[in-house]
Amino acid sequence: MKVPFVDLGRQHRRLSGELRWAIDGVIERGDFVLGEELERFEQEFAAFCGARHAVGVDSGVSALELALRALGVGPGDEVVTVANTFIATVSAIAFTGARPTLVDIQPDTLQMDVTQLERAITPRTRAIIPVHLYGCPADVEAVAKVAAAYNLAVIEDACQAHGARVGGRRVGSLGTAAAFSFYPSKNLGAFGDGGMCVTNSAELAHRMKILRVHGAEPEDIHKVVGGNFRLDALQAAILRVKLRHLDDWSAARRRNADLYERKIRALGLPESVLSTPAARESRHVFNQYVLRTPDRDGAVAALAGRGIGTEIYYPLPLHLQPCFANLGHGPGSFPAAERAARETFAVPIYPELTEAEIDLVVGALAAHFETKAHVA
Ligand SMILES: *Cc1c(COP(=O)(O)O)cnc(C)c1O
């Protein structure tokens, strides 16, 4: 028996009827770009986040870029984010012409170390991008306090955290704007690429909508240079079907995370293997379930030997990526991010994962640690 790292087929087979019906509807109506289907999805997604406006775009990185551009961020500006995130968080900043400024993560939670923010802020800083990494809400309240003191925008990178909550509020409604991705393996995934920008500001949403369609306002008049950042009607129709199931899927991801945690403890595996759970008042939606151990590569190989898929998010921190060598941060600049890159790995966590499969993963880990104890 194998346990694949992701298996989207399980979800799609269950929704096959609903999805086909939605796709057929778009084919019949024939409005493939923007239009009613997208508007409905935008309204539903904004409501889901508890925010006023949502602007459908073609990817998560476009959502980040459009949010920055709508805020007027560009060459000469700086935007602060973390060294341990997906490359898109940082490349969206660089794409606007602004300079990314990085801070380290907290070694235990792997989320932005907010105590480092003030040191990273200069007179050129315009915005902070906290990342809800793995589906765990970052401490946006603390970020917002710093942002308010320096008059900065807060753009949540919520690409891994659809539906996560802090207190009673969903991510996406906590800052100036937020970016979501609908890449197939995200908690809400399209049949291809997609993304969404969410904001409470009518003005920002308006600017994003103009930038999304070649800067046109009205049609054929272009006061700003825009691009093509549109989300297809087909993807919107598919995502509308899936959005109705998202809260159930998040609950299933949390149930799987609880099972992992209980079984890892019950088998007496090192406590340090567990990634730190979210603060009690926040609701983690586990896009990834991340474990850590100094012999990460050994653990990954042991799981692979038993047919269990794993992934590493992320093996090389952003400041050590060749394309960001110009930022001038060498090895040792962000020790917590570098350590996470050496020690962490993700195991399967999708909603349809069975308890028997979780037992296989935990059993393989137990065998790995036993062998190591034996050799030591
Ligand atoms: C997936 C992801 C993105 C970008 O999403 P795309 O849709 O692939 O462009 C940005 N930030 C984070 C943290 C992500 O996980």
Side-chain angles (χ1 to χ4, degrees):
M1 192 164 147
K2 283 188 194 280
V3 188
F5 183 68
V6 281
D7 183 355
L8 299 174
R10 298 186 196 189
Q11 178 184 99
H12 296 150
R13 278 190 289 278
R14 284 180 203 176
L15 297 184
S16 168
E18 279 179 84
L19 289 167
R20 274 162 212 278
W21 192 81
I23 292 168
D24 281 347
V26 177
I27 295 172
E28 269 161 40
R29 284 191 298 280
D31 57 345
F32 296 114
V33 173
L34 300 178
E36 206 178 292
E37 199 68 43
L38 179 61
E39 272 168 34
R40 290 219 178 116
F41 178 50
E42 288 172 337
Q43 283 158 12
E44 289 162 5
F45 196 77
F48 174 81
C49 296
R52 289 206 193 98
H53 309 277
V55 180
V57 292
D58 58 349
S59 68
V61 70
S62 292
L64 286 164
E65 190 191 336
L66 275 199
L68 290 165
R69 286 191 191 273
L71 283 161
V73 172
D77 295 332
E78 294 176 3
V79 177
V80 186
T81 191
V82 279
N84 182 41
T85 174
F86 182 52
I87 183 105
T89 319
V90 185
S91 48
I93 300 168
F95 239 43
T96 67
R99 182 188 161 86
T101 306
L102 303 178
V103 297
D104 209 351
I105 51 172
Q106 289 176 326
D108 53 348
T109 63
L110 307 176
Q111 303 290 333
M112 176 181 269
D113 183 351
V114 182
T115 64
Q116 297 193 14
L117 277 179
E118 292 205 84
R119 250 179 294 153
I121 292 168
T122 76
R124 291 165 178 267
T125 308
R126 300 288 311 280
I128 304 171
I129 307 185
V131 181
H132 305 304
L133 196 68
Y134 308 139
C136 179
D139 190 353
V140 183
E141 259 170 41
V143 173
K145 269 192 201 138
V146 177
Y150 293 87
N151 196 23
L152 308 175
V154 176
I155 300 175
E156 298 172 74
D157 182 337
C159 287
Q160 300 182 3
H162 321 61
R165 280 196 188 133
V166 181
R169 295 164 70 202
R170 302 243 197 199
V171 304
S173 65
L174 309 174
T176 317
F180 291 86
S181 166
F182 304 126
Y183 182 77
S185 63
K186 308 287 178 167
N187 290 28
L188 181 63
F191 285 2
D193 279 303
M196 188 73 90
C197 220
V198 172
T199 180
N200 281 322
S201 158
E203 194 186 328
L204 274 183
H206 180 69
R207 274 192 231 142
M208 288 174 201
K209 283 185 178 171
I210 293 168
L211 290 168
R212 175 174 74 172
V213 286
H214 308 289
E217 187 207 21
E219 215 181 329
D220 298 321
I221 304 295
H222 305 266
K223 291 180 204 141
V224 294
V225 179
N228 179 350
F229 295 97
R230 297 180 297 237
L231 181 64
D232 293 332
L234 268 175
Q235 301 299 355
I238 290 158
L239 290 162
R240 288 185 71 204
V241 170
K242 290 195 173 194
L243 182 60
R244 300 199 275 272
H245 300 274
L246 184 54
D247 281 334
D248 289 343
W249 292 335
S250 298
R253 286 174 181 273
R254 277 199 307 283
R255 177 205 62 212
N256 291 342
D258 285 344
L259 284 173
Y260 269 125
E261 195 174 325
R262 257 198 284 133
K263 288 170 192 283
I264 283 170
R265 291 217 164 98
L267 281 175
L269 299 190
E271 186 78 10
S272 59
V273 78
L274 291 169
S275 65
T276 315
R280 289 180 75 99
E281 68 278 9
S282 71
R283 200 182 74 167
H284 192 325
V285 290
F286 292 98
N287 178 242
Q288 302 299 344
Y289 190 75
V290 170
L291 299 173
R292 67 188 309 165
T293 176
D295 179 24
R296 185 264 315 278
D297 296 343
V300 162
L303 294 186
R306 290 172 176 235
I308 295 161
T310 57
E311 288 287 344
I312 296 168
Y313 299 111
Y314 297 92
L316 190 61
L318 274 297
H319 61 289
L320 302 180
Q321 290 290 352
C323 66
F324 294 126
N326 63 328
L327 298 179
H329 306 295
S333 309
F334 302 110
E338 290 170 36
R339 191 171 158 206
R342 285 193 304 271
E343 296 189 347
T344 59
F345 64 107
V347 292
I349 187 70
Y350 37 92
E352 303 80 10
L353 196 69
T354 65
E355 184 164 355
E357 289 174 316
I358 291 172
D359 284 334
L360 283 179
V361 178
V362 179
L365 280 171
H368 166 69
F369 282 108
E370 221 160 84
T371 314
K372 280 187 69 91
H374 212 65
V375 172

